Amino acid sequence: MGRRAVMSERLMGMDDRVWLRHANPWSVYTRLVTAPLSFLALWSWVWVGWWALVFVGVAGVWVWLNPRVFSRVRDDRSWATRGVFGEMIWLRRRDTPIPTHHADVARATQIASFVFMVPAVYGLIVQDFWAACLGWHGSVLAKVWFVDRMVWLYTDCAHEHAMFEEFLTTPAAPR
């Protein structure tokens, strides 16, 4: 990648080739559907005991496979594509600084996602369905807000990154 990858990227094996497949809207939207299914896989512990590990394993394999099974994106017309491209810019912010207002909101959405995971984990541990469900889905909504903010970041900064030139559907704004 020519840059230092963050831990989550390393765990997922995300290189530029995989990111371009993940930017396919099908990858993004099926990933969103995976969130409630992952919750159900975790919650299935209550219903099926250790067999829940099968469902959790299937969900984990899908999360890893998802950015790899769809074709490479061709342009940046989709909201989902722009969100993934914005996330690529966000992850490269040490190499190419981004506007402070984007960084502040992105961090706030990440903090919100983490805060929502507290009742989710608590609910999973004590088997409180509503705490777990609302916390989990609150965390997902914060992630969607993060992706939406990444669309704004991409819109503002894409022309500063040569890697996106072939995808741009809008010309650079005059400065």
Side-chain angles (χ1 to χ4, degrees):
M1 278 191 187
R3 64 182 180 79
R4 189 176 60 161
V6 296
M7 185 174 53
S8 59
E9 274 186 294
R10 287 192 304 267
L11 286 172
M12 287 290 295
M14 299 291 285
D15 58 20
D16 287 346
R17 186 180 51 79
V18 175
W19 275 106
L20 292 177
R21 288 174 165 269
H22 183 43
N24 184 316
W26 281 100
S27 176
V28 175
Y29 294 126
T30 56
R31 188 74 166 248
L32 282 174
V33 172
T34 301
L37 296 177
S38 295
F39 171 76
L40 285 176
L42 289 166
W43 187 258
S44 70
W45 171 266
V46 173
W47 302 315
V48 297
W50 287 103
W51 284 101
L53 292 177
V54 172
F55 301 124
V56 170
V58 167
V61 167
W62 172 246
V63 166
W64 187 87
L65 278 176
N66 175 280
R68 292 163 175 78
V69 299
F70 297 99
S71 63
R72 181 182 188 275
V73 72
R74 304 258 185 256
D75 59 51
D76 70 354
R77 285 186 174 92
S78 167
W79 174 89
T81 298
R82 289 174 180 241
V84 170
F85 284 172
E87 191 170 359
M88 292 171 72
I89 292 170
W90 169 254
L91 292 171
R92 290 166 168 80
R93 68 190 178 279
R94 287 193 176 111
D95 301 330
T96 306
I98 63 171
T100 305
H101 63 281
H102 287 300
D104 293 342
V105 175
R107 284 187 195 97
T109 62
Q110 291 176 324
I111 290 168
S113 185
F114 175 79
V115 167
F116 276 111
M117 285 309 284
V118 171
V121 170
Y122 168 80
L124 288 167
I125 291 170
V126 301
Q127 297 182 358
D128 179 337
F129 178 80
W130 290 110
C133 185
L134 294 173
W136 184 272
H137 290 88
S139 182
V140 170
L141 286 174
K143 175 63 176 177
V144 172
W145 181 20
F146 172 80
V147 172
D148 188 58
R149 192 57 188 219
M150 295 299 99
V151 172
W152 288 11
L153 174 63
Y154 174 75
T155 301
D156 288 353
C157 300
H159 293 282
E160 299 170 22
H161 296 266
M163 68 185 300
F164 298 115
E165 284 178 13
E166 70 179 283
F167 303 103
L168 294 171
T169 55
T170 56
R175 294 199 179 242

